[in-house]
Structure formats: C-alpha cells, structure tokens
Amino acid sequence: MDFGFTNRNIWIRFGLKNDSVEEQNYFFETARPITDVAELYIIKGDKSVAKYISGDAIPFNQRSYKVRKTIFKINIAPHELQQFYLRVKSDGEQLSMPMILHSSENILEESSFEQFIFGFFYGIVFIAAILYLFFFFAMRDKTFFFYSMYMVFIGLLQFSIDGYFYKFITPQSGWFSLHAVIIFACFANFFLGRYAQVYLKVKEYNRLINNTFYFIYGLDLFLFISLLFVPNALQYSYPIANGLGLILLLLIIASQFIIFIRTKK
C-alpha cells in the first residue's frame, strides 16, 4: 500500500491464525526504514496485549527489533488466532506500507543479499566521488568538483533512505537524523544542477535556461533555510524537493536539446 506524501497516522488491522500443531515464528516487515513511528499491537489468543515499536524518531536501542528496517518478530502458538493493530506515521515523506511475512531462513538470505548489493552500490559511489575529486585537484576543472559532490550527497541521500545513516551515524535520532533525507536531497539537487550547467556550458547557448537554473538554486536554498527556522516546513519539503529535482532534469534535457539544435553535436 502506498499513501503518498503524508504526515497522518495510519492504522491497519489484520489477523493471523496458526492452523498447524507447531508454533510458527515469523518476521513481519512493513513501512520504509525512514518511517518515523511504527507501533504493532498484538492481541493474543489469551486476550493479552503486546506492544512493539520501531521507527527512526526513537533511539535505535529502543526499537523492539534492532535492525535498520521496520521489522517485528511474531510468534503464534498452535491453533492460535492473533489480532494485530499497526500504527505508522511519517513526517511528510512518502509512506509506503509493504506487509511481508518472512521465515527465519528467508530473512537471513535476504539480509545477506542486501548487504552484498548495498556494499557494491555504496562502494561504486565512494570510488566515483574520490576519483572525480582527485581529477579536480589534478586538473583544476570545477566540473569534476561538482560531480564529485553530487556523488557524495546522492550517496548520503540513499544511505539515509535505506536506514543506514540513522543506524550508524545518528542512532540517538534527533533533529539532524529526522531531517537528513531532505538536507542531502537539497545539496544533491544543487550539485547536479551546477554540474550539468557548467559541463554543458548552458550560459553560452541559452540565457533563459541558464537563469532558470539559478532560480531553482534559489528555491533549493529557501527550502534548506526553511528547515532551520520553520518547524512545520518538513511535511511540505519532500514533495517540493522531488519537484525541484524533476525540474532540474527537465532543464538538463532542454539544454541538451537546444545545444544539439545549434551545434548538431
């Protein structure tokens, strides 16, 4: 289920029944790693109620199951019916709600595969950032600097979305942890735009598009400053940052099209 950009509380009720003669153990995965709050209430067959919590708005060591994802452990006795009430809340980020039951073997296999994939991805991003920064110092071409910084901040953005920034850098949560995604998105947008603008030499071919780039940078800066001084700005910042990123991509495409028309290259 996808609820889009929202800061509302979402409640979901569902039930699970164990029809076998053996106890069943599962890992229930839901919500994205950057979801602020996720609470699972379990009403067991004997009418007792258990509560489990997750989310990046609480210190990492207070999570019921200490992994970067929103995961809860479920144990169901033979022939037992359990009722579940799930509450999730985001700070305005896109709220996506997968509901997946993993066996112990399955979650171990998936975890190992993800570690390989993410390690490979972040390794490439790190190497690219270092390599282009070296080119910048060697050749004194600011294009390399802009691209290197773009790789740094797009890597940090993905690092935050995947829940690793919260787990390893800001495990106590707090303001920076909750704003990390949008802060890194603002910087990534800026350096992407500057890289394309300088590399394509947009100023030489179309001053209107070139000035539009600067206008987008101004909006990007305004968005960043609003995070510092306007507490409620966060809930609106995610769709705005996504919109600015989309406009930058359209400007880059338009720039390439105009350059091709004028130079046939």
Side-chain angles (χ1 to χ4, degrees):
M1 292 176 284
D2 192 340
F3 296 95
F5 296 100
T6 180
N7 64 342
R8 295 179 299 168
N9 285 282
I10 305 294
W11 285 88
I12 296 175
R13 181 171 71 98
F14 62 97
L16 290 175
K17 184 177 182 180
N18 180 9
D19 289 323
S20 70
V21 295
E22 297 180 353
E23 182 180 80
Q24 299 295 320
N25 302 303
Y26 298 103
F27 292 92
F28 173 57
E29 178 183 350
T30 185
R32 303 169 72 194
I34 56 173
T35 302
D36 277 20
V37 177
E39 297 176 343
L40 182 66
Y41 299 85
I42 304 178
I43 304 176
K44 300 186 178 182
D46 59 1
K47 303 304 180 182
S48 62
V49 179
K51 176 184 175 182
Y52 302 97
I53 59 174
S54 187
D56 68 357
I58 63 173
F60 189 79
N61 59 9
Q62 293 183 16
R63 295 163 72 109
S64 298
Y65 193 63
K66 296 173 180 58
V67 294
R68 67 177 183 87
K69 290 184 174 182
T70 305
I71 291 180
F72 303 101
K73 192 172 183 179
I74 295 175
N75 303 312
I76 308 179
H79 303 294
E80 182 185 23
L81 173 64
Q82 293 185 359
Q83 295 292 331
F84 299 85
Y85 290 84
L86 175 66
R87 181 180 81 90
V88 293
K89 186 180 186 302
S90 183
D91 53 14
E93 172 62 280
Q94 186 175 8
L95 186 58
S96 179
M97 290 282 295
M99 300 181 68
I100 307 170
L101 282 180
H102 297 281
S103 65
S104 299
E105 296 80 6
N106 175 256
I107 200 166
L108 286 174
E109 292 174 358
E110 184 175 288
S111 178
S112 298
F113 180 73
E114 286 180 346
Q115 288 179 2
F116 170 76
I117 294 297
F118 284 132
F120 185 75
F121 169 75
Y122 290 120
I124 290 177
V125 170
F126 177 76
I127 291 173
I130 295 298
L131 183 63
Y132 279 88
L133 194 60
F134 172 79
F135 287 153
F136 165 69
F137 285 115
M139 304 175 66
R140 298 298 176 181
D141 186 341
K142 59 184 178 182
T143 305
F144 292 117
F145 175 76
F146 290 139
Y147 189 77
S148 176
M149 290 299 99
Y150 169 67
M151 293 302 293
V152 167
F153 285 104
I154 202 65
L156 287 172
L157 172 61
Q158 193 61 48
F159 198 65
S160 301
I161 291 174
D162 291 332
Y164 290 111
F165 189 84
Y166 160 62
K167 180 179 179 179
F168 295 114
I169 309 300
T170 57
Q172 295 304 313
S173 189
W175 186 91
F176 188 66
S177 177
L178 296 176
H179 291 73
V181 170
I182 196 65
I183 289 174
F184 294 144
C186 287
F187 280 96
N189 277 344
F190 171 74
F191 284 112
L192 170 64
R194 284 298 290 154
Y195 164 69
Q197 188 183 16
V198 173
Y199 179 77
L200 295 174
K201 300 178 181 178
V202 177
K203 185 177 181 180
E204 298 180 9
Y205 297 99
N206 191 293
R207 289 191 174 273
L208 176 61
I209 292 182
N210 187 66
N211 291 334
T212 305
F213 271 101
Y214 288 114
F215 178 71
I216 297 301
Y217 302 151
L219 294 178
D220 199 50
L221 177 62
F222 178 78
L223 177 61
F224 176 74
I225 293 175
S226 71
L227 297 174
L228 303 177
F229 300 104
V230 184
N232 295 330
L234 187 61
Q235 61 180 300
Y236 306 106
S237 61
Y238 294 104
I240 293 174
N242 277 270
L244 293 179
L246 176 60
I247 294 173
L248 276 173
L249 290 176
L250 294 176
L251 285 176
I252 293 170
I253 294 172
S255 301
Q256 292 175 318
F257 181 76
I258 289 173
I259 291 170
F260 176 77
I261 293 297
R262 294 191 176 183
T263 67
K264 302 303 179 182
K265 295 181 181 179

